[in-house]
Amino acid sequence: YRGEISVDSAGLVSISDAKPVGTHTITLRAHDNCNVLKDATFELQVNALLPGAPVIGSASAGDQSASVSFSPPALDGGAVVTSYTVTSSPGGLTGSGAASPVTVTGLTNGVAYTFSVTAENVAGNGPASSASNPVTPIALQTITFNNPGPQDFGTTPTLSATSSSGLTPTFGSRTDAVCTVTLGGALTFLTTGSCSIDAKQPGNAAYLQAPTVTQTFDVNAVVPGAPVMGIVSAGQAQATVRFTPPIFNGGAAINGYEVTSSPEGIIVGGSGSPINVTGLTNGLTYTFTVTAKNTVGTGAPSSPSNPITPAAQDEMFVSGFEDQEN
C-alpha cells in the first residue's frame, strides 16, 4: 500500500500528512522471494484529531460589536476546519464564521474587551488562541439640525440641534464675515449675505464623533432705524432740520432721508443733514420728524424736533432788534 497510509515489512502502519480520515482497507501479503504465501485483508479506521489553535490577528471595535481577524491553525487535526468561534472577555459573548474575520455583536459600548478564537472540525473544537488586543466598542450618533430659514439682519436668534446620543451639539460658523455664533448657538449678524453654520458633537467614551451637519441660510436686510433728531432753526416760511444718521442701517446703505412737518405734513427729501423745508406758514408753530430709507424701505421716524415758528424777514428783524434792546 502506498500513499496516505503505508505498512512496512514488519507490519508497522504509518499515516502521512495527507488527510486519510475515514475507513481504509489494508492488505498484507506474506511471501518468500519467489512465491506469494498468503494475503490478509482488514479495515483500518483513522479518526481526526482536534485542530490546533488559530493564530490571533487584530480586533477592531464597532457599535456594540467588534470584528476579530485571525489565521487558520497550523494543524487541522487531519480534517477540514469547518468553522471558527470567537469569544469575548468579559461577557463570554460569541460569534462564529467559516473564515476570518468574525464579528461579535451584543457588546456593551464603553467596555473594553479582548477576544480569543477556536477552530472546529469533525472531531470538535480545538484549543483557544491567545487573547487579542483590547478594544472598546463605541456607538454611532447623528445630529438633527434643521435649517432655520431666512433671517433678518439685526436680530439675534439662537439655533438649536439635538443628537441621537443625547449629548449636546455645539455650533461654529463657516462664514465669519457674515455671521458668528457661540458654542451654544446664539447668532450675531455682521452683514447681509449667506450664513453657513456647522453643528458638531465630538462624542465621548461611549459614542463616536457625529458627522457634522451644516445649514446655510440668507441674512436679509431690513429697514433702517430712526435718525437722531438735531436742532431745527426757523427761517422765513422755512426751516432747517439737522439730524444724524441712524445707528442701525438695516444691513443696507441708506440712500435718502425724508423730513415731515407737523402740522401740514409737508415732506421734503434729501441725501443727508441738513434738509431745508420750505413752503411753511409764517407764524405757525411746527415740529419735524425725519426718516431714513434703504433698498428695503423706510424706517421708523425720529423723535419730534424742537418747535419753531417761521416768520417774515422784517418780523424776524424787529423781533431780533427788540431782543437786543431788552
Side-chain angles (χ1 to χ4, degrees), residues 3-4 9 11 43 82 109 116 119 158 164 172-173 187 207 210 216 231 234 248 267 283-284 297 310 320:
E4 296 171 343
S9 59
E43 290 186 346
T82 55
N109 289 329
S116 61
T158 298
S164 59
S173 175
L187 283 165
Y207 288 92
T216 300
I231 299 298
F248 177 68
I267 299 174
L284 186 63

Side-chain angles (χ1 to χ4, degrees), residues 14-38:
S14 298
I15 301 175
S16 71
D17 288 339
K19 298 178 174 60
V21 172
T23 301
H24 299 267
T25 300
I26 305 296
T27 299
L28 298 179
R29 176 169 292 168
H31 59 85
D32 58 17
N33 290 334
C34 297
N35 301 304
V36 174
L37 300 179
K38 187 175 181 179

Side-chain angles (χ1 to χ4, degrees), residues 30 58 84 103 135 176 191 259 270 292:
S58 62
Y84 296 91
T103 298
V135 294
D176 287 335
T191 185
V259 172

